[in-house]
Amino acid sequence: MMKKAIIAAGVCALALGSLPAMPAAASTRPFASPMQAENPPAQPSRRTITVVGIGRASATPDIVRVTLGVDVVNASLSKALAEVNAKTSAVVALLKKEGIDAKDIRTLDFNIFPQQAYGPNGPGPITGYRVSNSVRVTIRAMDKAGSILEQAVSAGANSVQGLTFTIDDQRPVETEARVNAIQDARFKADTLAQEAGAVVGQVVNISEALSSAPFPLVQPAPMAMQSGGGGVEIAPGMQDVTVQVQVTYELE
């Protein structure tokens, strides 16, 4: 009986020795699930207001752009070409003589069209040729523009098209328009916030929504000549530049 008791005690001791050791103390930090670790609690969103400010500024155009052309119809193609070439060369020479740089004279178009009648049976025989050549000219001396146009017509240009006025350096007027746009945006934001019982705070985001360069002002044709050889009467007027900005402010 004593022997069986000893064996039983040994088995019990072996079984207890194989159990894993328990930690000395349990952790008091709450368990965080993987979902909670990846998605922490969202912070309260800021109250904001977004407005679009519009700013405008004006300036006097200082550049004239115009297309001068020579258009000739002749029964002989070679004669039509010769006449067009001679008159175009005379116009270009006149422009350079008046101080227009070669980079401001660009060939825009050159065309040859057969002239023929069309009947019930289709096109008839060729009766002649229409040849045209045109150059796009930039005139930077506004005070000489009218005189240059009149002299170009006298030199052989029988087509004057697309007279436009524009501003050479648009950056100063664009800057003024942007400043006005920012001021307009702040005024709108203050007005809306006041009606809502809030106060406009710092700028959260700002972007230029739209910046429109001055559109060229097109002078309608035909243009009247001044009496006494004073040149073509032109009036550039004023041009507007419009800038839009979108601004988001924090509300306090």
Side-chain angles (χ1 to χ4, degrees):
M1 179 67 67
M2 182 64 68
K3 185 176 181 180
K4 290 183 179 180
I6 294 174
I7 293 175
V11 172
C12 183
L14 179 62
L16 291 174
S18 62
L19 293 175
M22 295 297 292
S27 173
T28 59
R29 183 174 59 183
F31 173 75
S33 67
M35 184 64 69
Q36 292 175 327
E38 294 179 1
N39 301 288
Q43 297 295 325
S45 60
R46 290 182 296 181
R47 296 191 306 162
T48 61
I49 182 173
T50 300
V51 295
V52 174
I54 301 175
R56 296 181 179 87
S58 301
T60 302
D62 54 5
I63 286 181
V64 178
R65 289 191 172 93
V66 63
T67 299
L68 302 175
V70 177
D71 196 320
V72 171
V73 177
N74 198 296
S76 169
L77 176 58
S78 60
K79 289 182 179 179
L81 280 170
E83 184 177 353
V84 166
N85 290 339
K87 290 183 177 180
T88 302
S89 297
V91 171
V92 172
L94 176 276
L95 295 174
K96 292 181 177 179
K97 178 184 176 182
E98 291 298 317
I100 297 179
D101 197 284
K103 67 181 177 62
D104 289 329
I105 305 173
R106 174 174 60 89
T107 298
L108 183 66
D109 217 353
F110 178 80
N111 295 296
I112 299 176
F113 299 106
Q115 303 295 292
Q116 54 190 140
Y118 286 81
N121 299 322
I126 295 175
T127 58
Y129 296 90
R130 179 179 180 179
V131 181
S132 63
N133 192 358
S134 60
V135 293
R136 188 67 176 168
V137 184
T138 299
I139 303 175
R140 302 183 185 277
M142 290 287 291
D143 57 336
K144 298 174 61 178
S147 174
I148 291 174
L149 291 177
E150 184 177 24
Q151 292 183 68
V153 171
S154 299
N158 57 3
S159 174
V160 180
Q161 302 180 28
L163 177 65
T164 62
F165 303 101
T166 188
I167 303 169
D168 187 19
D169 186 3
Q170 301 172 5
R171 290 173 296 181
V173 67
E174 286 178 353
T175 298
E176 183 181 352
R178 288 189 178 96
V179 171
N180 294 337
I182 292 295
Q183 293 175 351
D184 182 57
R186 182 57 190 248
F187 174 78
K188 291 177 179 177
D190 285 337
T191 302
L192 292 171
Q194 182 178 358
E195 291 299 320
V199 177
V200 175
Q202 64 182 356
V203 174
V204 176
N205 184 54
I206 183 171
S207 62
E208 186 172 299
L210 172 66
S211 176
S212 62
F215 293 100
L217 299 179
V218 181
Q219 177 77 12
M223 296 172 295
M225 296 289 187
Q226 285 184 337
S227 60
V232 177
E233 179 69 36
I234 61 174
M238 297 288 288
Q239 281 190 294
D240 294 333
V241 174
T242 302
V243 173
Q244 293 186 17
V245 293
Q246 180 172 291
V247 186
T248 299
Y249 298 93
E250 189 173 32
L251 290 179
E252 298 176 353

